[in-house]
Amino acid sequence: MMAKPGQQEEIHDNQQSLWLQNIYAIHLKEKRKHSRLVLLVQCMLLFLFFAVWELAGRLRWIDVLLFSYPTKIFAYLGDQLFTSELWKHIGVTVGETAVGFLMGTLTGTLLAVLIWWLPFLSKVLDPFMVVFNSMPKVALGPIFIVMFGGGFTAIVATTLSITVIVTTLVVYNSFSEVDPNYVKVIRTFGGNKAQIFRSVILPASFPAIVSTLKVNVGMAWVGVIVGEFLVAKSGLGYLIMYGFQVFNFTLVLSSLFIIAIVATAMYQMVVFIEKKLLLNR
Amino acid sequence: MIPAVDLQEIAHVYVTDRGASLAVEGIQLQVHPGEFISLVGPSGCGKTTILSMIAGLLKPAKGTVKVHGQTVKGPSPEVGYMLQQDYLFPWLTIMNNAWIGLELTGRLHAESRKFARDLLEEMGLGDSGSLYPHQLSGGMRQRAALVRTLAPDPSLLLLDEPFSALDYQTKLQLEDLIVKTLKDRHKTAVLVTHDLSEAIAMSDRVVLLDRNPGRIHQVFEVPDRIRAAQPFFAREEAGFNELFRKIWKEMEIIGGKE
């Protein structure tokens, strides 16, 4: 029996959509395969690294006193993981990093707002900021110890000295790079400076601010660990320093291992927040 | 009758580190309520400068600018300004973009919201209110920008080459839409454009500016038949080509002065 012309068209459409769906399915499959392969190679590399390290340690190719080896580190971590001692150190460092990170980003952004608001101030402060930014800020550490004593405040101050100015420069830069035509839109409606800031400058710079969050996570860790090297009586930086002094490099490497894990977790958290905040962009 | 726009002996000076130079000088121009005029001329003749002074974004160095008899001291909701591109805020929906002028002037209430929503509907964007600008085509975006400009219900519209970033077909459609919308609402408009045929097709008068410094060279009246026709068909009206050639010849004289 012959199909009616309308039916024939329908059949044709169906075939076409099936064909397209098929191509799409193949594309998805290829993509999944590819990302699985990447993950596999990554895992293998990691495993290889630990395996070679372990072997080198056990066969005494490297000095075990200096480099330790993975099973020794994991065994040590396994022991320590159930003591409140280690958790106290982790807690102290994470607390300092979080405070330093948040305060650094906030202060830096507020400073950027201030110099955007007062162009005169921005011109006046410019050379000072450049000098301060090019200076190795950790060199200020000893001064902070004298000022605030060896503890939480001095460590957070070290972190702030590293994060604030970079944040200010990056955020201010993104403020001044906002297309002036967007500002013109607001001005044609008679918008004042506060309205220009709120409706254009801030939302347009939001991605830049969020990306300084990512940079600042890393910066805050540098500040905190260096600060702990200098002054602390607790924290992961202190553990590294202590391990170094008693020549316990298993302790040093274990602490580094924990730092790597916690810092990555913190970074991923910021990436997650970024995704949430920048939805619809 | 009080002119919608009254420019009295306007001069504007641009100051840079290398010196001060006259941008425009001796501009004397009246625009009647409901009239549509175009400013054309070579680049550097100060078209956009004049527009910015009417909008209150720039202060004239000499002379006064009056809108509806009031001396302009700054931007006012009576005057709407449309830029070369839509410049819709990418982080706001089309509806919120359309409301921004109302929000900034503190007049966002149920009635004005509805007014803007109806405008969107009228411009064929009724379904696009909840979309974001990047989801729209260039022509739709410029229509949304028109709604944003019209939402505070200004009586005077300043159009700064609003079609220059659009493809030819979209441009012609938008010309028709803008002329119709403005005529229906008895709005006054000043259009700055590079496109001479667009100027003739859309306006009642074409003002040709000279450059260095910007001065009014000559004002051309557009014949009634061309005025009455929609911009798209105005181009086919008798007399269109004659006027085009006449203004073109004058433009060449100005250009030849260099």
Side-chain angles (χ1 to χ4, degrees):
Chain A
M1 196 180 80
M2 284 272 287
K4 285 181 199 142
Q7 275 178 334
Q8 244 172 10
E9 233 164 71
E10 210 171 276
I11 290 165
H12 178 76
D13 281 354
N14 270 337
Q15 275 175 346
Q16 185 144 25
S17 84
L18 267 178
W19 181 58
L20 287 176
Q21 271 170 20
N22 199 22
I23 289 180
Y24 179 62
I26 291 170
H27 167 79
L28 279 187
K29 213 168 141 191
E30 288 287 319
K31 211 174 154 183
R32 267 200 301 269
K33 213 167 124 189
H34 187 75
S35 52
R36 264 206 303 268
L37 189 67
V38 169
L39 187 68
L40 184 72
V41 174
Q42 282 167 339
C43 290
M44 270 164 59
L45 270 179
L46 194 67
F47 180 77
L48 201 71
F49 173 73
F50 281 123
V52 171
W53 186 5
E54 181 78 27
L55 210 65
R58 297 219 171 201
L59 300 177
R60 296 291 184 268
W61 296 344
I62 54 172
D63 191 337
V64 177
L65 186 67
L66 282 182
F67 296 103
S68 195
Y69 50 81
T71 42
K72 222 170 143 179
I73 292 170
F74 291 135
Y76 180 81
L77 281 175
D79 277 352
Q80 294 298 310
L81 226 46
F82 302 103
T83 65
S84 59
E85 190 71 9
L86 182 67
W87 287 104
K88 193 191 86 193
H89 290 299
I90 294 177
V92 166
T93 301
V94 168
E96 284 161 352
T97 312
V99 171
F101 160 69
L102 290 175
M103 274 179 67
T105 311
L106 206 65
T107 318
T109 307
L110 287 177
L111 207 59
V113 174
L114 190 72
I115 61 176
W116 177 84
W117 203 279
L118 306 165
F120 181 75
L121 191 66
S122 124
K123 287 213 180 76
V124 171
L125 290 184
D126 184 59
F128 301 110
M129 297 219 312
V130 171
V131 170
F132 190 74
N133 191 40
S134 10
M135 211 168 94
K137 267 90 46 183
V138 286
L140 295 172
I143 300 174
F144 292 136
I145 300 171
V146 177
M147 278 169 73
F148 303 115
F152 183 82
T153 321
I155 291 166
V156 170
T158 313
T159 312
L160 288 185
S161 72
I162 294 180
T163 49
V164 170
I165 299 296
V166 178
T167 309
T168 305
L169 290 176
V170 173
V171 174
Y172 176 69
N173 196 34
S174 90
F175 282 174
S176 28
E177 270 174 10
V178 173
D179 191 330
N181 283 304
Y182 283 121
V183 176
K184 196 171 177 180
V185 169
I186 302 295
R187 286 192 60 212
T188 59
F189 288 120
N192 58 30
K193 197 151 188 174
Q195 286 172 320
I196 288 173
F197 184 77
R198 218 181 32 229
S199 333
V200 181
I201 303 291
L202 194 61
S205 309
F206 216 56
I209 295 174
V210 174
S211 83
T212 64
L213 288 180
K214 279 201 270 187
V215 176
N216 280 346
V217 173
M219 294 284 207
W221 277 97
V222 174
V224 166
I225 298 299
V226 169
E228 287 181 349
F229 277 3
L230 290 174
V231 297
K233 291 166 197 70
S234 58
L236 294 168
Y238 161 79
L239 277 188
I240 291 176
M241 225 42 194
Y242 174 78
F244 165 67
Q245 278 159 0
V246 301
F247 249 65
N248 181 354
F249 282 87
T250 306
L251 176 59
V252 173
L253 288 164
S254 305
S255 309
L256 268 176
F257 188 75
I258 295 172
I259 290 174
I261 289 174
V262 183
T264 309
M266 220 160 148
Y267 185 83
Q268 290 303 330
M269 228 158 73
V270 173
V271 170
F272 177 75
I273 292 170
E274 179 183 30
K275 269 199 193 131
K276 284 267 160 210
L277 287 179
L278 297 185
L279 219 71
N280 276 324
R281 298 261 180 161
Chain B
M1 187 167 57
I2 301 168
V5 182
D6 193 359
L7 304 178
Q8 299 167 343
E9 286 298 320
I10 299 294
H12 190 259
V13 178
Y14 272 120
V15 192
T16 63
D17 292 340
R18 290 155 82 201
S21 59
L22 261 180
V24 295
E25 188 191 24
I27 303 287
Q28 184 84 29
L29 183 70
Q30 271 92 39
V31 187
H32 311 301
E35 197 183 16
F36 195 122
I37 75 153
S38 290
L39 303 178
V40 296
S43 41
C45 68
K47 300 180 294 246
T48 301
T49 308
I50 295 175
L51 222 54
S52 299
M53 286 191 288
I54 302 173
L57 297 172
L58 281 178
K59 266 203 184 72
K62 241 179 15 188
T64 45
V65 180
K66 287 185 177 175
V67 171
H68 299 301
Q70 303 277 320
T71 303
V72 171
K73 293 204 177 71
S76 102
E78 270 302 291
V79 183
Y81 196 109
M82 238 181 127
L83 287 85
Q84 287 168 2
Q85 284 169 47
D86 53 82
Y87 291 108
L88 297 170
F89 297 125
W91 52 85
L92 295 180
T93 60
I94 296 301
M95 197 68 251
N96 283 320
N97 265 295
W99 283 336
I100 191 113
L102 298 165
E103 208 180 306
L104 288 166
T105 49
R107 293 183 301 167
L108 192 59
H109 41 74
E111 200 183 324
S112 62
R113 273 173 209 264
K114 189 182 176 310
F115 180 70
R117 207 178 287 124
D118 291 346
L119 271 172
L120 269 188
E121 190 83 36
E122 203 179 312
M123 303 285 162
L125 295 168
D127 302 330
S128 311
S130 58
L131 297 179
Y132 284 86
H134 68 88
Q135 294 169 294
L136 267 57
S137 69
M140 289 165 91
R141 292 172 60 133
Q142 196 57 303
R143 272 183 278 156
L146 178 64
V147 173
R148 175 180 68 190
T149 311
L150 289 173
D153 206 18
S155 58
L156 168 66
L157 255 91
L158 306 173
L159 309 165
D160 188 1
E161 299 187 50
F163 314 112
S164 57
L166 301 174
D167 62 85
Y168 192 66
Q169 193 190 358
T170 313
K171 173 184 153 122
L172 291 180
Q173 288 167 347
L174 209 60
E175 282 176 13
D176 281 6
L177 181 71
I178 286 194
V179 165
K180 185 178 179 308
T181 311
L182 299 191
K183 289 273 180 230
D184 285 354
R185 292 159 201 275
H186 306 287
K187 308 252 185 231
T188 315
V190 180
L191 169 74
V192 160
T193 180
H194 273 114
D195 183 340
L196 190 49
S197 80
E198 174 180 293
I200 300 170
M202 290 180 78
S203 31
D204 302 320
R205 275 192 296 160
V206 177
V207 178
L208 177 61
L209 294 162
D210 194 352
R211 67 170 158 195
N212 297 326
R215 281 197 192 89
I216 293 181
H217 180 76
Q218 202 173 334
V219 180
F220 300 87
E221 293 275 338
V222 177
D224 286 340
R225 283 172 59 89
I226 302 177
R227 276 190 214 183
Q230 269 184 47
F232 185 82
F233 297 105
R235 288 173 166 87
E236 291 157 15
E237 284 293 329
F240 185 91
N241 284 325
E242 284 75 5
L243 184 59
F244 185 92
R245 265 185 238 117
K246 204 166 127 191
I247 304 179
W248 184 259
K249 226 173 83 189
E250 288 299 324
M251 280 178 105
E252 286 198 315
I253 294 171
I254 296 170
K257 242 180 37 167
E258 280 183 284

